[in-house]
Amino acid sequence: MKCKIKAFGISRDIVGSRELEMEVPDGFTVSDLKKELFQKYPTFIELKSLYVALNNEYANDDSILKSGDEIALIPPVSGG
Amino acid sequence: MKCKIKAFGISRDIVGSRELEMEVPDGFTVSDLKKELFQKYPTFIELKSLYVALNNEYANDDSILKSGDEIALIPPVSGG
Amino acid sequence: MIKITEKPIDIQKVIDTVSSLGAGAVNVFIGTVRNNAHGKNVLWLEYEAYESMAVSEIRKIIDEASHRWPLLGWGVSHRVGTLKPGEVSVVVAVSSPHRQQAFEACEFIIDTLKEKAPIFKKEIFEDGEEWVSARPNGVTAYN
Amino acid sequence: MIKITEKPIDIQKVIDTVSSLGAGAVNVFIGTVRNNAHGKNVLWLEYEAYESMAVSEIRKIIDEASHRWPLLGWGVSHRVGTLKPGEVSVVVAVSSPHRQQAFEACEFIIDTLKEKAPIFKKEIFEDGEEWVSARPNGVTAYN
């Protein structure tokens, strides 16, 4: 399954673009995605936190990515 | 000693004017003034509180009125 | 800026007076006239102030707030005269480096102003009028 | 009203959206860009938002605040893009019958927005730049 991942803030700097394309197997979880990102981009480990949002909601680590999901990387927020 | 007393809010309604003139003896205190007002205008007793200000400051009951003092009656405040 | 005024309060102007390049936070309290009190329609309010003393009391409140919180700017404007429901009776604005300071200082200033500043309001209902908080039972007098 | 915008925020407009005849109190929080951080001059900030999710998270925060306090009106406007010191980054306004409710609800909304809304800011100093709160030590990266 091909998925597109939006990257914001420092995560955009780390991956080097606003959107990342990845080929992932069926049943791939948020936790699996984070592991893969940490491997590919070790700088992510330096962040205070990294959340993944699915369809505009913070997702749990065991949530499964589904085709058509809007996926986004949420590094530590600092609005206000 | 002749003194002028400003009246605000409900105290203005009770005395019937913005300013009251009174002849008071030397050594007359805030407490004496309040007693006299309560006698002359018994409605004052219905108020939750009645303060007297001397020269734009809340005055204690034992403060003595002095010639030239700016004297004012301060019924319960309700600004804001 | 401390102001007692018969004219409508320009909120943005009060906010402008507190702005500071070192400030990260501004908190603004705006008091507005409600259209009801004690379950009755309020037609309008009459505000009056002992102006010179009100300014002096508000200045003391600001001084105390400035001791307790690192204020960078502050402004208080209180309206007097006839005010209809929806109109602005008071604006308090403060600025500070961080937001909690601004919230706390602004609330302290309006709470203490309401306790101490010699300002008086009368509510006018369809069937009477009442000097707010003047009598213990709060019943309408002078029907 | 919830708004994420690249244009300067019109504070009075946000206040106007919360006005209500039943309200006695409006509280407004205004976040402004400070000219210093970590003892260094801030030249400017870059704000970016994951807009659709930020709006959705702010809506949840407003919903919770509306359950906890009797809000009569509310408005949140957050700016994105390049902001210089002194500029307004966020405005939160709420109205309620009484003032304590307005203070508490407004502080809850801005506190929770800062915790949860996916909005990110980068401070630009003379000698580098830093995504705020991104790293544990908060050192400036990418000199």
Side-chain angles (χ1 to χ4, degrees):
Chain A
M1 184 179 89
K2 182 170 281 180
C3 61
K4 288 181 183 174
I5 302 163
K6 293 176 193 287
F8 293 95
I10 196 169
S11 70
R12 176 167 52 73
D13 285 358
I14 292 172
V15 304
S17 80
R18 288 188 177 279
E19 203 165 76
L20 202 62
E21 290 210 9
M22 270 174 79
E23 187 66 38
V24 305
D26 276 1
F28 206 65
T29 63
V30 163
S31 172
D32 295 333
L33 174 63
K34 281 165 58 173
K35 261 180 237 155
E36 184 143 339
L37 289 166
F38 287 158
Q39 233 170 14
K40 221 164 157 181
Y41 307 97
T43 313
F44 272 124
I45 296 160
E46 295 174 19
L47 301 189
K48 272 191 197 162
S49 66
L50 181 67
Y51 285 94
V52 170
L54 297 182
N55 304 315
N56 294 293
E57 304 264 358
Y58 286 105
N60 294 324
D61 270 0
D62 54 4
S63 299
I64 291 168
L65 308 192
K66 287 185 297 292
S67 174
D69 275 351
E70 184 169 315
I71 307 168
L73 305 183
I74 314 287
V77 302
S78 53
Chain B
M1 183 181 88
K2 183 170 279 179
C3 61
K4 289 181 181 174
I5 301 162
K6 293 176 191 289
F8 292 95
I10 196 169
S11 70
R12 175 167 54 74
D13 285 356
I14 292 171
V15 305
S17 79
R18 289 189 177 278
E19 204 166 75
L20 202 64
E21 290 210 9
M22 270 174 80
E23 187 66 40
V24 306
D26 277 1
F28 206 65
T29 63
V30 163
S31 172
D32 295 332
L33 173 63
K34 280 165 58 171
K35 261 181 238 151
E36 184 142 339
L37 288 166
F38 287 158
Q39 232 168 17
K40 222 167 159 183
Y41 307 97
T43 313
F44 273 124
I45 297 159
E46 295 175 18
L47 301 190
K48 272 192 198 161
S49 67
L50 181 68
Y51 285 93
V52 170
L54 297 181
N55 304 316
N56 295 294
E57 304 265 357
Y58 287 103
N60 295 324
D61 270 0
D62 55 4
S63 300
I64 291 167
L65 308 192
K66 286 183 298 294
S67 174
D69 275 351
E70 183 169 318
I71 307 168
L73 304 182
I74 314 287
V77 301
S78 52
Chain C
M1 182 204 67
I2 298 172
K3 210 168 150 185
I4 309 286
T5 175
E6 296 206 349
K7 290 189 202 129
I9 299 171
D10 184 335
I11 299 170
Q12 183 65 53
K13 236 183 197 161
V14 183
I15 294 172
D16 289 345
T17 65
V18 311
S19 77
S20 159
L21 286 175
V26 176
N27 191 257
V28 187
F29 175 80
I30 302 163
T32 53
V33 176
R34 280 192 296 155
N35 61 2
N36 67 85
H38 323 296
K40 293 199 288 187
N41 286 341
V42 171
L43 300 184
W44 73 85
L45 295 188
E46 301 278 353
Y47 276 87
E48 83 178 55
Y50 178 13
E51 185 171 334
S52 58
M53 180 173 168
V55 169
S56 145
E57 286 295 317
I58 294 169
R59 185 166 300 280
K60 284 186 214 163
I61 296 166
I62 297 287
D63 285 350
E64 190 178 340
S66 299
H67 269 94
R68 290 172 62 173
W69 294 278
L71 301 188
L72 294 164
W74 48 266
V76 176
S77 192
H78 201 300
R79 182 124 178 247
V80 290
T82 301
L83 274 80
K84 277 182 274 197
E87 287 196 86
V88 172
S89 55
V90 62
V91 175
V92 176
V94 299
S95 64
S96 59
H98 301 287
R99 71 187 184 284
Q100 203 191 341
Q101 305 154 346
F103 275 102
E104 287 176 3
C106 189
E107 191 164 16
F108 169 80
I109 292 168
I110 183 65
D111 283 356
T112 317
L113 181 155
K114 287 176 81 95
E115 258 173 48
K116 297 195 174 162
I119 302 174
F120 312 93
K121 65 172 168 259
K122 189 161 67 169
E123 288 165 341
I124 287 86
F125 303 103
E126 272 148 21
D127 63 349
E129 55 184 52
E130 179 189 342
W131 284 102
V132 177
S133 302
R135 294 163 196 266
N137 44 4
V139 292
T140 303
Y142 313 124
N143 273 19
Chain D
M1 181 204 64
I2 299 171
K3 210 167 149 183
I4 309 286
T5 175
E6 296 207 348
K7 293 189 200 125
I9 298 170
D10 184 335
I11 298 170
Q12 184 64 54
K13 234 182 200 168
V14 182
I15 294 171
D16 290 346
T17 65
V18 311
S19 76
S20 159
L21 286 174
V26 175
N27 192 258
V28 187
F29 174 80
I30 302 163
T32 53
V33 176
R34 282 192 295 157
N35 61 2
N36 67 86
H38 323 295
K40 293 199 288 186
N41 285 341
V42 170
L43 299 184
W44 73 85
L45 295 188
E46 302 278 354
Y47 276 86
E48 83 177 54
Y50 177 13
E51 185 171 333
S52 58
M53 182 173 166
V55 169
S56 145
E57 286 295 315
I58 293 169
R59 185 165 298 281
K60 284 186 214 164
I61 296 166
I62 297 287
D63 285 350
E64 191 178 339
S66 299
H67 268 95
R68 291 172 62 174
W69 294 279
L71 301 189
L72 293 164
W74 49 267
V76 176
S77 192
H78 202 300
R79 182 125 176 246
V80 289
T82 302
L83 275 80
K84 278 182 275 200
E87 287 196 87
V88 171
S89 56
V90 62
V91 175
V92 176
V94 299
S95 64
S96 60
H98 300 289
R99 71 187 183 285
Q100 202 191 341
Q101 305 153 346
F103 276 101
E104 288 177 2
C106 189
E107 192 164 15
F108 169 79
I109 292 167
I110 184 63
D111 284 356
T112 317
L113 181 155
K114 288 175 82 94
E115 258 173 49
K116 297 196 174 161
I119 301 173
F120 313 92
K121 64 171 168 257
K122 190 162 64 171
E123 289 166 340
I124 286 87
F125 304 104
E126 273 149 19
D127 63 349
E129 54 184 53
E130 180 188 341
W131 285 102
V132 177
S133 303
R135 293 164 198 265
N137 45 2
V139 292
T140 303
Y142 313 121
N143 272 18

